[in-house]
Amino acid sequence: TLSFYVYLYAASFLMGALVMFFANFIFFFRMFVNKQFSPTTELLIFYMSEFLKLFIVAAVTIVLAIYIKPKLFPYIFGLILLQLLVCFVPILLKKVR
C-alpha cells in the first residue's frame, strides 16, 4: 500500500489490519485452549467469541474514527483483507484425528 499511496493511506490500511489481527488473536486463542465441552456449549462459545471479536472491531473503529481519523477506504480494506486471510488458516493447521 505504501508503494502506491501516500503514508496516510498506508497507515490507515495498517491500522485496519492491526485491529482485525488483534480481534482474531483473541478469537483464535479460544481454539488453542484445551477444553472438553458438549457440542452445544462449544457452539455457544464459538458464537460468543465471534460476537466479542466483532464488538472489539466496532469499538476500536469508533474510537479511531473519533480521535485519529484514518482514511476510511484503506482502513476498511485492511479489515476485510485480514479477515479474508483468516479463511486460509485451517489449511495451515495440522489435522488431528
Side-chain angles (χ1 to χ4, degrees), residues 13 16-17 20-21 24 28 50 53-54 57 75-92:
F13 178 84
M20 188 56 77
F21 177 79
N24 281 324
F28 284 121
E50 185 67 29
K53 180 179 91 168
L54 294 176
V57 169
Y75 179 82
I76 299 296
F77 187 67
L79 286 173
I80 292 171
L81 187 65
L82 202 64
Q83 183 60 32
L84 290 176
L85 189 65
V86 169
C87 296
F88 295 105
V89 168
I91 295 171
L92 303 174

Side-chain angles (χ1 to χ4, degrees), residues 15 20-21 26 51 53 56 60-61 68 72-73 75 78 84 86-87 94-95:
M15 275 190 273
M20 188 56 77
F21 177 79
I26 291 172
F51 175 75
K53 180 179 91 168
I56 288 170
V60 172
T61 300
I68 297 180
L72 185 62
F73 181 72
Y75 179 82
L84 290 176
V86 169
C87 296
K94 185 171 70 171
K95 291 186 178 187

Side-chain angles (χ1 to χ4, degrees), residues 4 7 9 16 28 30-31 40 56 58 63 65-66 77 87 92:
F4 294 114
Y7 174 75
Y9 288 93
F28 284 121
R30 187 208 67 82
M31 267 183 36
T40 307
I56 288 170
V63 169
I66 291 172
F77 187 67
C87 296
L92 303 174

Side-chain angles (χ1 to χ4, degrees), residues 23-35:
N24 281 324
F25 180 77
I26 291 172
F27 178 73
F28 284 121
F29 180 72
R30 187 208 67 82
M31 267 183 36
F32 296 113
V33 175
N34 292 328
K35 297 182 215 172

Side-chain angles (χ1 to χ4, degrees), residues 2 5 7 12-13 17 21 24-25 31 34-35 41-42 44 52 55 57 62 64 67 69-70 73 85:
L2 186 59
Y5 301 105
Y7 174 75
S12 296
F13 178 84
F21 177 79
N24 281 324
F25 180 77
M31 267 183 36
N34 292 328
K35 297 182 215 172
T41 306
E42 282 291 324
L44 180 67
L52 177 65
F55 179 76
V57 169
I62 290 170
L64 287 176
Y67 294 110
K69 296 179 180 35
F73 181 72
L85 189 65

